[in-house]
Amino acid sequence: MNAGPTHPARFTTVLRTELRKLRAGRGLLYTVGTGLALIALAAIGSARHATEAAMPAEEAALAVIRQGFAGLLFATITGSLLVTGEYRHRTWTRTYLVTPDRTRVLAAKAAASVAVGLPVGVLSALVSTAIAAGFGHAPVNTWEVWRLLLTIVLVSTLAGPWGVALGYLIRNQVATVLAVVAYTSGIEAVVIVALPDFGRFLPGGTQLSLLHDPELTAPLPGWAALALLLCYIAAALLGAVFRERTAEPN
């Protein structure tokens, strides 16, 4: 008797599977925990500097809270681990047997990374705000403070899909993490400082423009920075779709 055609798994089912993969390993806990610890250390250093420099209240609070921006780096890494972990442990065969539609799997991983990036952004903002308050630089209730907090959450949320795309494009887990750290904290940071008129158009430049970071001397308007950042993410995800559809997993 013919069992009939096999129906593809629904997107929600695939998404739940990807979320379970995140919870199953300790990589997420270690990555986020390390990130929050480093943010706390950076915020402490910034708070001490603000105290020594006798900064005005709002300026000091903003300087400390801005350290939560680093959460996007760890949201990016977490997103990449969703993909590179499959290559490392050679579980792609099982994944595609359950869900042959590779684009659907990619979309589910991107959505799962958003579900991680959002709380990472919230926690990053809370940690830096708590440090600011603990050192006597409690944020005042102004639009600029709220805008900064919301921007930290936004860029961290968008960093997850960016990491997923990089994971598909690079594939090797160690190489992907090293590339993310080296480019974000090294190459791009140098270019933004040395060539600000050009650097503001890079992904990091758009993020710093959204944050109103004073170190960026020629920021983009907020709407332009967000639009360009979304274009970068969309282009990276499209590149990941093309690579995954035209090449077999390693």
Side-chain angles (χ1 to χ4, degrees):
M1 183 176 179
N2 193 338
T6 301
H7 296 284
R10 293 181 178 181
F11 177 77
T12 54
T13 302
V14 183
L15 176 57
R16 284 197 296 268
T17 299
E18 294 303 325
L19 291 172
R20 281 198 298 269
K21 289 178 183 178
L22 274 172
R23 294 194 298 267
R26 296 184 178 180
L28 172 62
L29 181 62
Y30 291 154
T31 301
V32 175
T34 300
L36 294 177
L38 292 176
I39 288 170
L41 289 174
I44 290 171
S46 181
R48 288 177 173 172
H49 173 72
T51 301
E52 293 171 358
M55 291 183 181
E58 182 176 10
E59 181 182 347
L62 291 172
V64 180
I65 294 172
R66 195 172 284 115
Q67 303 307 315
F69 171 68
L72 74 90
L73 173 62
F74 299 94
T76 302
I77 292 174
T78 299
S80 73
L81 294 178
L82 266 173
V83 180
T84 57
E86 300 256 25
Y87 290 104
R88 180 182 179 185
H89 300 293
R90 301 185 181 277
T91 56
W92 277 118
T93 301
R94 183 175 57 193
T95 297
Y96 288 144
L97 281 175
V98 176
T99 310
D101 188 339
R102 298 187 176 195
T103 302
R104 183 171 298 185
V105 173
L106 187 152
K109 288 183 181 295
S113 71
V114 168
V116 173
L118 176 59
V120 167
V122 171
L123 289 172
S124 299
L126 288 175
V127 167
S128 58
T129 301
I131 296 296
F135 278 80
H137 303 297
V140 292
N141 187 22
T142 65
W143 164 243
E144 188 63 19
V145 169
W146 282 108
R147 186 205 58 76
L148 177 58
L149 291 170
L150 291 173
T151 301
I152 289 173
V153 175
L154 174 64
V155 295
S156 178
T157 301
L158 294 176
W162 176 255
V164 167
L166 294 178
Y168 272 103
L169 293 171
I170 301 175
R171 301 194 173 195
N172 180 275
Q173 188 171 90
V174 175
T176 302
V177 173
L178 289 177
V180 169
V181 174
Y183 177 76
T184 303
S185 303
I187 298 171
E188 190 178 47
V190 171
V191 173
I192 289 173
V193 173
L195 302 169
D197 289 334
F198 171 73
R200 62 180 179 167
F201 293 104
L202 298 175
T206 64
Q207 294 162 340
L208 292 177
S209 293
L210 288 170
L211 286 167
H212 292 185
D213 194 306
E215 294 185 3
L216 189 63
T217 58
L220 294 171
W223 65 268
L226 179 58
L228 185 55
L229 180 59
L230 290 173
C231 286
Y232 274 121
I233 295 171
L237 288 172
L238 287 174
V241 169
F242 177 79
R243 176 161 168 75
E244 191 64 7
R245 283 184 171 273
T246 56
E248 290 297 322
N250 293 329

